[in-house]
Amino acid sequence: MTRLPSSTYVLSVCQAMNLTAAVVSVSVAALAGERIAPSPGWATLPYGVQFAIVAILTYPGALFMRQFGRKAGFLLGATMLIAAGCVGFVSVEHASFVGLVTSHSLLGAYVAFANFYRFAAVDNLSMELRPRGVSLVVAGGVLAALIGPWLSIGLGSAEGYAPFALCYASFVGIGMVTMALITVWRPIPAIPVKAASDLMVVRQQMTAPIAIAIFASASAYMIMNLLMVQASLVMDSMHMSFDASTLAIQGHVLAMFLPSFVTGLIVVRLGFRFTLCGGFILLMAATLLALIGIGSFGNMLSGLILLGVGWNLSYIGGGALLAKYLTDQNRHRMQGINDSVIAICATVGAFSPALLQTLIGWKNTNIACFLICAIGLILAWRGTRRAALG
C-alpha cells in the first residue's frame, strides 16, 4: 500500500493543536465569561462571537490562501492564536469582558484558517490517497481529546493567577508549536496542467457530488453539536453525577476521532456511497436510542458513541468526496463554501440545544434530527452511485 507523505503527518499534528485549543476554549469560555461578564446572560457571548467569526472569515480565508498560499494562511492563523492567548490572559487577569470577547474573536480567526488543514493534506495528492489523507488529519483529534481536558483541569485554578487565565495563556504555546510545524511543513508540489477555459471552470463548480459532500459534512456537524450539547443538559436534568456525564462526553469525543485511523481505508474499500450511508444510519440509530428511552446512563453513553462514529463517517466521507471532485481552478472557492456552510451549521447546533430543550424537548429534537439524517441517507444513496475512486 502506498504510504502517505510526511507532510500529511505534520498537518495531523497541527490539527491536534487546533482541536486542543478548541477543547480548552469550550471548557473555559462560559466559566470565564460568567466571572467577568456585566450580567450572567452575557456569559456565553465570547464563545458565540468566536463561532460567528469562524463563519464570517472562512470563505475570505480560502481566498487569501488561494492568493498567497496555504503556508501564509496557516502562519497568519497561528499568529492569531498567539494573540488570542496574550489578550485572553491579560483580560481574565484584569477582568476585562471586552478583552475576553476580543480574545475569542482572534481565536475564531485562527480556527477559520486551521479548519483547512484537512484539505491542505490532499492538495496535489494522488486520488487513491486522498481519503486516507483527510482521515489521518482528522485523527489528530484523538490527541486533542486527551490533552485538552488535561490542560483545562491542570491550568484552570493555578495558584497566583486568576481562574482560567493560564488556560488562555496555553494558546500562546499551542500557537508557537503550530507556527514551528508550519514553518517546516513542505506542501506537495503541484503537477503543471493546462489552464482550463473560463467555460470549463464554470462547469467545474457546484456539481451534485459536491453538493452532497457539503450536505453530509455540514448536517452531520450540526446534528453532532446539537445532540452532544443537549445530552449534557438532559443528563444534568436526570441528576447524573458530573463524573458520569463527563465520562459520557469523553466517550463521545473519542468515538468522533478514533475511527479516523481506519475511515480512509473504509472509503477506499467500500466507496463514498456506503461510507456516507453508514454514517447517516449510525446517526439515525443514535436518535432512535433517544426515542426508545433515556432512563439510564448506558443508554445515553451508547447514543453518544453512535453519534460520534456516525459523525466521523459522514464528515470524513463528505470531505473525501469533496476532495475527489475539486480541481485546481475551483478548490479554494469550493472549500471555502464547504467550510462556511459547516461553520454556520455548527453554530446553529451549538446555540440551539437549550432553546430546543425548552420548546420541544429531547425526544422531539431527536425526531427532527432523524428526519434530517433520512434526507441525507437518500441523497447519499442516490447521488453517489457513480462516485467511484480512481
Side-chain angles (χ1 to χ4, degrees), residues 1-17 19 117-122 125 128-144 185 188 256-268 311-312 315-317 319-320:
M1 182 179 294
T2 306
R3 296 180 61 182
L4 289 166
S6 59
S7 60
T8 306
Y9 293 90
V10 173
L11 290 175
S12 181
V13 180
C14 289
Q15 178 73 340
M17 297 297 100
L19 294 174
Y117 289 147
R118 70 192 192 282
F119 290 127
V122 300
L125 197 64
E128 65 271 14
L129 289 179
R130 289 185 180 184
R132 289 170 54 199
V134 173
S135 185
L136 179 66
V137 172
V138 176
V142 175
L143 187 60
W185 172 60
I188 302 171
M256 287 174 61
F257 296 113
L258 273 177
S260 300
F261 293 107
V262 297
T263 306
L265 295 175
I266 291 174
V267 175
V268 172
W311 171 87
N312 183 279
Y315 181 71
I316 293 179

